[in-house]
Amino acid sequence: MSKETIKLYDKPYENGFMPTMTIFPCDDKVRGAVIIYPGGGYSHYGSLEQSLVAERFNELGFHAFVVIYSVSPLHYPSQQRDALRAVRMVRKDAAKYNVDPEKIAVCGFSAGGHLAGTAGVLYDRIDSTCGDEYDEASPRPDAMILSYPVISMSGEYAHIGSANNLIGCDDAEKREFLSIEKQITENTPPAMCWITADDKAVNRDNPIMFARAMWAAGRDCELHVFPHGPHGLGLNTEREDVGQWSTLAATFLYTTCKFPRI
């Protein structure tokens, strides 16, 4: 199967925007899948966090999918519905894409990390049904890879820009609900998180809080805090330390999450 881009819905949003998903097949073997959500503060999309990341996961032995989801001026729950819809579609059409339907990971960057995190933590508390055949498939991802992720929408370490773009108003109840470090349950899938200690855009305590909450709930979570590097690194293979994150993520999927090695 060659690369193609598909629409997530039959009709666009009221402002004319149509979320899409681009498929990056690794080969014709049944493999685990990684669904990628680029960052951008819920207002745009990071260019370094799309095809380059998908192609890297292909090299590591995974089928990959890049989702272009709704952003401001569209607000919650549109973004979360898009993320969960993508999981449903990949799982429902797993045979078509040569994907193991029980080995689907979500991978997000910055605000896209928050989106991937909400897909993993809130999959059963946000309605992502559309009244079609994809409703039959579970929206729960089997693993999360959260890269320099926004985690909190309220409190000391909240990323206010992402929160404002996502929620669109100062709604304390929504900000609390979407602070996913507070929403972890015994059904939350395993996670691997990474960030740099001197990230100036997203405070390093975001993934640290998330990891601590995961551990407190008895959930598997791997955490890497690299000493130096700016926000928005993407693959950044030029930095020997940070550049290994994708290999670490693949190892996490193969070992902790038991994704198939082919």
Side-chain angles (χ1 to χ4, degrees), residues 5-255:
T5 298
I6 62 174
K7 298 176 181 179
L8 292 191
Y9 306 104
D10 291 333
K11 296 180 180 179
Y13 282 103
E14 59 272 16
N15 69 345
F17 177 75
M18 172 60 80
T20 63
M21 181 165 63
T22 301
I23 303 152
F24 291 77
C26 180
D27 51 28
D28 60 359
K29 296 180 180 179
V30 176
R31 297 178 178 271
V34 178
I35 303 174
I36 299 160
Y37 309 102
Y42 283 120
S43 67
H44 61 284
Y45 314 100
S47 61
L48 298 179
E49 302 157 353
Q50 299 183 40
S51 60
L52 292 175
V53 175
E55 290 163 359
R56 175 58 178 154
F57 275 111
N58 286 166
E59 294 172 359
L60 292 165
F62 305 91
H63 299 303
F65 302 78
V66 175
V67 177
I68 299 300
Y69 52 90
S70 53
V71 295
S72 182
L74 294 169
H75 302 300
Y76 168 82
S78 298
Q79 293 83 353
Q80 279 62 40
R81 286 173 56 84
D82 296 346
L84 294 168
R85 173 74 169 180
V87 176
R88 287 184 188 273
M89 292 179 73
V90 172
R91 180 165 283 127
K92 176 66 174 176
D93 291 336
K96 175 181 176 181
Y97 300 133
N98 296 309
V99 166
D100 182 332
E102 296 182 355
K103 301 299 178 185
I104 298 172
V106 289
C107 173
F109 299 81
S110 192
H114 180 265
L115 185 58
T118 56
V121 175
L122 300 173
Y123 67 91
D124 57 348
R125 284 172 276 177
I126 295 174
D127 182 12
S128 59
T129 58
C130 292
D132 60 18
E133 69 273 18
Y134 293 109
D135 292 353
E136 301 170 9
S138 169
R140 180 187 183 272
D142 301 296
M144 299 177 284
I145 301 167
L146 310 182
S147 304
Y148 39 91
V150 172
I151 295 294
S152 185
M153 293 276 137
S154 63
E156 181 180 1
Y157 302 115
H159 194 266
I160 300 304
S162 293
N164 290 342
N165 287 328
L166 175 62
I167 299 169
C169 61
D170 191 15
D171 187 317
E173 184 175 349
K174 287 181 181 178
R175 288 174 187 257
E176 184 76 6
F177 177 65
L178 292 167
S179 295
I180 54 175
E181 79 280 8
K182 302 175 183 179
Q183 307 299 339
I184 292 163
T185 74
E186 72 236 8
N187 296 319
T188 300
M192 179 265 201
C193 312
W194 71 273
I195 196 167
T196 60
D198 53 8
D199 190 315
K200 297 297 189 291
V202 174
N203 189 288
R204 67 192 176 211
D205 280 282
N206 274 259
I208 292 173
M209 287 190 304
F210 184 81
R212 285 176 172 167
M214 288 282 284
W215 298 329
R219 308 308 297 153
D220 288 334
C221 186
E222 184 174 318
L223 173 66
H224 301 275
V225 182
F226 300 100
H228 301 294
H231 188 71
L233 288 168
L235 286 177
N236 197 359
T237 54
E238 295 180 1
R239 295 187 65 93
E240 184 176 359
D241 55 350
V242 181
Q244 66 182 317
W245 78 262
S246 59
T247 302
L248 292 169
T251 302
F252 162 76
L253 293 177
Y254 285 138
T255 55

